Amino acid sequence: METAIEPAWWQRVADGVRVELFTQRRTVRELSAHLGRGTNYVSLRLNGHEPFKMSEIEAAAEWLGVTIESLKDKARF
């Protein structure tokens, strides 16, 4: 029997950011520019390989016009 591993909260938030970017037809490049980071840096975080800093999560949520909690809720796990 397989046991599912629950993703970390920051991975759920990253998934929510990806969903919201898609919904709003925004790009990783646009988010990267808003955060003042390179696209590779942001992509690593959006794909769950590295965690976002809390300040980056707050900035992304504000830029997207959503709450951090709603980003967690959009995660598809």
Side-chain angles (χ1 to χ4, degrees), residues 17 21 27-37 42 46 52 56 59-60 63-64:
V17 171
L21 283 173
T27 66
V28 173
R29 185 173 289 181
E30 291 171 320
L31 176 59
S32 300
H34 178 74
L35 297 176
R37 297 291 191 164
V42 173
L46 287 175
F52 276 107
E56 294 166 338
W63 181 69
L64 292 165

PDB file of all heavy atoms in Angstrom, residues 17 21 27-37 42 46 52 56 59-60 63-64:
ATOM      1  N   VAL A  17       0.054  29.707  -6.713  1.00  0.00           N
ATOM      2  CA  VAL A  17       0.559  30.820  -7.536  1.00  0.00           C
ATOM      3  C   VAL A  17       0.537  30.410  -9.005  1.00  0.00           C
ATOM      4  O   VAL A  17       0.106  31.183  -9.873  1.00  0.00           O
ATOM      5  CB  VAL A  17       1.974  31.253  -7.105  1.00  0.00           C
ATOM      6  CG1 VAL A  17       2.569  32.256  -8.091  1.00  0.00           C
ATOM      7  CG2 VAL A  17       1.953  31.854  -5.705  1.00  0.00           C
ATOM      8  N   LEU A  21      -1.529  32.318 -11.811  1.00  0.00           N
ATOM      9  CA  LEU A  21      -0.865  32.874 -13.001  1.00  0.00           C
ATOM     10  C   LEU A  21      -1.588  32.414 -14.264  1.00  0.00           C
ATOM     11  O   LEU A  21      -1.854  33.218 -15.165  1.00  0.00           O
ATOM     12  CB  LEU A  21       0.601  32.427 -13.069  1.00  0.00           C
ATOM     13  CG  LEU A  21       1.597  33.108 -12.149  1.00  0.00           C
ATOM     14  CD1 LEU A  21       2.955  32.418 -12.242  1.00  0.00           C
ATOM     15  CD2 LEU A  21       1.733  34.576 -12.484  1.00  0.00           C
ATOM     16  N   THR A  27       2.502  35.651 -16.825  1.00  0.00           N
ATOM     17  CA  THR A  27       3.644  34.781 -17.074  1.00  0.00           C
ATOM     18  C   THR A  27       4.623  34.763 -15.896  1.00  0.00           C
ATOM     19  O   THR A  27       4.614  35.666 -15.048  1.00  0.00           O
ATOM     20  CB  THR A  27       4.410  35.240 -18.323  1.00  0.00           C
ATOM     21  OG1 THR A  27       4.996  36.517 -18.063  1.00  0.00           O
ATOM     22  CG2 THR A  27       3.499  35.307 -19.545  1.00  0.00           C
ATOM     23  N   VAL A  28       5.461  33.749 -15.901  1.00  0.00           N
ATOM     24  CA  VAL A  28       6.532  33.657 -14.905  1.00  0.00           C
ATOM     25  C   VAL A  28       7.466  34.850 -15.077  1.00  0.00           C
ATOM     26  O   VAL A  28       7.960  35.409 -14.096  1.00  0.00           O
ATOM     27  CB  VAL A  28       7.301  32.323 -15.057  1.00  0.00           C
ATOM     28  CG1 VAL A  28       8.513  32.285 -14.144  1.00  0.00           C
ATOM     29  CG2 VAL A  28       6.384  31.151 -14.793  1.00  0.00           C
ATOM     30  N   ARG A  29       7.692  35.253 -16.290  1.00  0.00           N
ATOM     31  CA  ARG A  29       8.558  36.411 -16.553  1.00  0.00           C
ATOM     32  C   ARG A  29       7.986  37.676 -15.904  1.00  0.00           C
ATOM     33  O   ARG A  29       8.722  38.461 -15.312  1.00  0.00           O
ATOM     34  CB  ARG A  29       8.719  36.620 -18.057  1.00  0.00           C
ATOM     35  CG  ARG A  29       9.698  37.739 -18.391  1.00  0.00           C
ATOM     36  CD  ARG A  29       9.973  37.812 -19.847  1.00  0.00           C
ATOM     37  NE  ARG A  29      10.790  36.629 -20.166  1.00  0.00           N
ATOM     38  CZ  ARG A  29      11.256  36.350 -21.356  1.00  0.00           C
ATOM     39  NH1 ARG A  29      10.995  37.130 -22.366  1.00  0.00           N
ATOM     40  NH2 ARG A  29      11.987  35.280 -21.559  1.00  0.00           N
ATOM     41  N   GLU A  30       6.666  37.862 -16.001  1.00  0.00           N
ATOM     42  CA  GLU A  30       6.045  39.031 -15.365  1.00  0.00           C
ATOM     43  C   GLU A  30       6.167  38.974 -13.847  1.00  0.00           C
ATOM     44  O   GLU A  30       6.483  39.982 -13.205  1.00  0.00           O
ATOM     45  CB  GLU A  30       4.566  39.129 -15.764  1.00  0.00           C
ATOM     46  CG  GLU A  30       4.333  39.479 -17.209  1.00  0.00           C
ATOM     47  CD  GLU A  30       2.871  39.349 -17.608  1.00  0.00           C
ATOM     48  OE1 GLU A  30       2.200  38.391 -17.168  1.00  0.00           O
ATOM     49  OE2 GLU A  30       2.412  40.217 -18.374  1.00  0.00           O
ATOM     50  N   LEU A  31       5.925  37.794 -13.283  1.00  0.00           N
ATOM     51  CA  LEU A  31       6.066  37.634 -11.831  1.00  0.00           C
ATOM     52  C   LEU A  31       7.513  37.859 -11.420  1.00  0.00           C
ATOM     53  O   LEU A  31       7.779  38.539 -10.420  1.00  0.00           O
ATOM     54  CB  LEU A  31       5.592  36.247 -11.390  1.00  0.00           C
ATOM     55  CG  LEU A  31       5.775  35.927  -9.898  1.00  0.00           C
ATOM     56  CD1 LEU A  31       5.020  36.920  -9.022  1.00  0.00           C
ATOM     57  CD2 LEU A  31       5.333  34.502  -9.608  1.00  0.00           C
ATOM     58  N   SER A  32       8.443  37.332 -12.171  1.00  0.00           N
ATOM     59  CA  SER A  32       9.864  37.510 -11.878  1.00  0.00           C
ATOM     60  C   SER A  32      10.240  38.988 -11.850  1.00  0.00           C
ATOM     61  O   SER A  32      10.953  39.438 -10.953  1.00  0.00           O
ATOM     62  CB  SER A  32      10.724  36.789 -12.918  1.00  0.00           C
ATOM     63  OG  SER A  32      10.454  35.417 -12.926  1.00  0.00           O
ATOM     64  N   ALA A  33       9.758  39.723 -12.838  1.00  0.00           N
ATOM     65  CA  ALA A  33      10.043  41.157 -12.897  1.00  0.00           C
ATOM     66  C   ALA A  33       9.459  41.869 -11.683  1.00  0.00           C
ATOM     67  O   ALA A  33      10.108  42.737 -11.088  1.00  0.00           O
ATOM     68  CB  ALA A  33       9.495  41.752 -14.190  1.00  0.00           C
ATOM     69  N   HIS A  34       8.242  41.495 -11.304  1.00  0.00           N
ATOM     70  CA  HIS A  34       7.604  42.120 -10.140  1.00  0.00           C
ATOM     71  C   HIS A  34       8.400  41.837  -8.862  1.00  0.00           C
ATOM     72  O   HIS A  34       8.543  42.705  -8.013  1.00  0.00           O
ATOM     73  CB  HIS A  34       6.169  41.632  -9.979  1.00  0.00           C
ATOM     74  CG  HIS A  34       5.492  42.203  -8.779  1.00  0.00           C
ATOM     75  ND1 HIS A  34       5.063  43.511  -8.742  1.00  0.00           N
ATOM     76  CD2 HIS A  34       5.211  41.663  -7.567  1.00  0.00           C
ATOM     77  CE1 HIS A  34       4.533  43.759  -7.550  1.00  0.00           C
ATOM     78  NE2 HIS A  34       4.612  42.637  -6.822  1.00  0.00           N
ATOM     79  N   LEU A  35       8.909  40.618  -8.743  1.00  0.00           N
ATOM     80  CA  LEU A  35       9.666  40.242  -7.550  1.00  0.00           C
ATOM     81  C   LEU A  35      11.119  40.702  -7.600  1.00  0.00           C
ATOM     82  O   LEU A  35      11.837  40.615  -6.601  1.00  0.00           O
ATOM     83  CB  LEU A  35       9.628  38.722  -7.356  1.00  0.00           C
ATOM     84  CG  LEU A  35       8.264  38.098  -7.098  1.00  0.00           C
ATOM     85  CD1 LEU A  35       8.381  36.578  -7.017  1.00  0.00           C
ATOM     86  CD2 LEU A  35       7.630  38.663  -5.833  1.00  0.00           C
ATOM     87  N   GLY A  36      11.565  41.163  -8.771  1.00  0.00           N
ATOM     88  CA  GLY A  36      12.958  41.579  -8.926  1.00  0.00           C
ATOM     89  C   GLY A  36      13.918  40.406  -8.919  1.00  0.00           C
ATOM     90  O   GLY A  36      15.054  40.515  -8.466  1.00  0.00           O
ATOM     91  N   ARG A  37      13.469  39.276  -9.419  1.00  0.00           N
ATOM     92  CA  ARG A  37      14.257  38.047  -9.459  1.00  0.00           C
ATOM     93  C   ARG A  37      14.305  37.511 -10.880  1.00  0.00           C
ATOM     94  O   ARG A  37      13.463  37.850 -11.710  1.00  0.00           O
ATOM     95  CB  ARG A  37      13.630  36.971  -8.557  1.00  0.00           C
ATOM     96  CG  ARG A  37      13.589  37.308  -7.105  1.00  0.00           C
ATOM     97  CD  ARG A  37      14.984  37.309  -6.543  1.00  0.00           C
ATOM     98  NE  ARG A  37      14.968  37.373  -5.088  1.00  0.00           N
ATOM     99  CZ  ARG A  37      16.003  37.080  -4.362  1.00  0.00           C
ATOM    100  NH1 ARG A  37      17.136  36.698  -4.920  1.00  0.00           N
ATOM    101  NH2 ARG A  37      15.942  37.174  -3.046  1.00  0.00           N
ATOM    102  N   VAL A  42      12.557  32.095  -9.894  1.00  0.00           N
ATOM    103  CA  VAL A  42      11.119  31.970  -9.654  1.00  0.00           C
ATOM    104  C   VAL A  42      10.615  30.597 -10.104  1.00  0.00           C
ATOM    105  O   VAL A  42       9.800  29.972  -9.412  1.00  0.00           O
ATOM    106  CB  VAL A  42      10.343  33.123 -10.337  1.00  0.00           C
ATOM    107  CG1 VAL A  42       8.841  32.919 -10.233  1.00  0.00           C
ATOM    108  CG2 VAL A  42      10.742  34.466  -9.718  1.00  0.00           C
ATOM    109  N   LEU A  46       8.296  27.982  -8.105  1.00  0.00           N
ATOM    110  CA  LEU A  46       6.966  27.609  -8.589  1.00  0.00           C
ATOM    111  C   LEU A  46       6.838  26.106  -8.782  1.00  0.00           C
ATOM    112  O   LEU A  46       5.749  25.553  -8.638  1.00  0.00           O
ATOM    113  CB  LEU A  46       6.652  28.320  -9.902  1.00  0.00           C
ATOM    114  CG  LEU A  46       6.349  29.805  -9.800  1.00  0.00           C
ATOM    115  CD1 LEU A  46       6.189  30.404 -11.199  1.00  0.00           C
ATOM    116  CD2 LEU A  46       5.102  30.052  -8.971  1.00  0.00           C
ATOM    117  N   PHE A  52       9.701  29.698  -1.499  1.00  0.00           N
ATOM    118  CA  PHE A  52       9.660  31.151  -1.601  1.00  0.00           C
ATOM    119  C   PHE A  52       9.934  31.729  -0.225  1.00  0.00           C
ATOM    120  O   PHE A  52       9.606  31.117   0.791  1.00  0.00           O
ATOM    121  CB  PHE A  52       8.252  31.630  -2.010  1.00  0.00           C
ATOM    122  CG  PHE A  52       7.977  31.609  -3.486  1.00  0.00           C
ATOM    123  CD1 PHE A  52       7.142  30.650  -4.029  1.00  0.00           C
ATOM    124  CD2 PHE A  52       8.520  32.563  -4.323  1.00  0.00           C
ATOM    125  CE1 PHE A  52       6.850  30.636  -5.380  1.00  0.00           C
ATOM    126  CE2 PHE A  52       8.240  32.569  -5.681  1.00  0.00           C
ATOM    127  CZ  PHE A  52       7.399  31.605  -6.212  1.00  0.00           C
ATOM    128  N   GLU A  56       8.280  37.223  -0.547  1.00  0.00           N
ATOM    129  CA  GLU A  56       7.979  36.970  -1.955  1.00  0.00           C
ATOM    130  C   GLU A  56       6.560  36.445  -2.125  1.00  0.00           C
ATOM    131  O   GLU A  56       5.867  36.820  -3.079  1.00  0.00           O
ATOM    132  CB  GLU A  56       8.982  35.972  -2.533  1.00  0.00           C
ATOM    133  CG  GLU A  56      10.393  36.508  -2.590  1.00  0.00           C
ATOM    134  CD  GLU A  56      11.437  35.449  -2.847  1.00  0.00           C
ATOM    135  OE1 GLU A  56      11.184  34.253  -2.589  1.00  0.00           O
ATOM    136  OE2 GLU A  56      12.530  35.831  -3.310  1.00  0.00           O
ATOM    137  N   ALA A  59       4.319  39.457  -1.706  1.00  0.00           N
ATOM    138  CA  ALA A  59       4.377  40.318  -2.896  1.00  0.00           C
ATOM    139  C   ALA A  59       3.635  39.691  -4.071  1.00  0.00           C
ATOM    140  O   ALA A  59       2.919  40.382  -4.811  1.00  0.00           O
ATOM    141  CB  ALA A  59       5.830  40.602  -3.266  1.00  0.00           C
ATOM    142  N   ALA A  60       3.789  38.384  -4.249  1.00  0.00           N
ATOM    143  CA  ALA A  60       3.104  37.690  -5.346  1.00  0.00           C
ATOM    144  C   ALA A  60       1.594  37.730  -5.141  1.00  0.00           C
ATOM    145  O   ALA A  60       0.838  38.013  -6.084  1.00  0.00           O
ATOM    146  CB  ALA A  60       3.585  36.245  -5.455  1.00  0.00           C
ATOM    147  N   TRP A  63       0.341  41.236  -5.863  1.00  0.00           N
ATOM    148  CA  TRP A  63       0.386  41.492  -7.300  1.00  0.00           C
ATOM    149  C   TRP A  63      -0.740  40.772  -8.034  1.00  0.00           C
ATOM    150  O   TRP A  63      -1.330  41.311  -8.972  1.00  0.00           O
ATOM    151  CB  TRP A  63       1.751  41.056  -7.829  1.00  0.00           C
ATOM    152  CG  TRP A  63       1.971  41.262  -9.292  1.00  0.00           C
ATOM    153  CD1 TRP A  63       2.102  42.442  -9.958  1.00  0.00           C
ATOM    154  CD2 TRP A  63       2.102  40.232 -10.281  1.00  0.00           C
ATOM    155  NE1 TRP A  63       2.315  42.211 -11.295  1.00  0.00           N
ATOM    156  CE2 TRP A  63       2.316  40.859 -11.517  1.00  0.00           C
ATOM    157  CE3 TRP A  63       2.072  38.845 -10.222  1.00  0.00           C
ATOM    158  CZ2 TRP A  63       2.506  40.162 -12.700  1.00  0.00           C
ATOM    159  CZ3 TRP A  63       2.259  38.138 -11.400  1.00  0.00           C
ATOM    160  CH2 TRP A  63       2.472  38.794 -12.622  1.00  0.00           C
ATOM    161  N   LEU A  64      -1.054  39.566  -7.569  1.00  0.00           N
ATOM    162  CA  LEU A  64      -2.134  38.792  -8.186  1.00  0.00           C
ATOM    163  C   LEU A  64      -3.518  39.205  -7.696  1.00  0.00           C
ATOM    164  O   LEU A  64      -4.526  38.785  -8.243  1.00  0.00           O
ATOM    165  CB  LEU A  64      -1.923  37.294  -7.919  1.00  0.00           C
ATOM    166  CG  LEU A  64      -0.714  36.667  -8.623  1.00  0.00           C
ATOM    167  CD1 LEU A  64      -0.388  35.308  -8.024  1.00  0.00           C
ATOM    168  CD2 LEU A  64      -0.971  36.562 -10.115  1.00  0.00           C
TER     169      LEU A  64
END
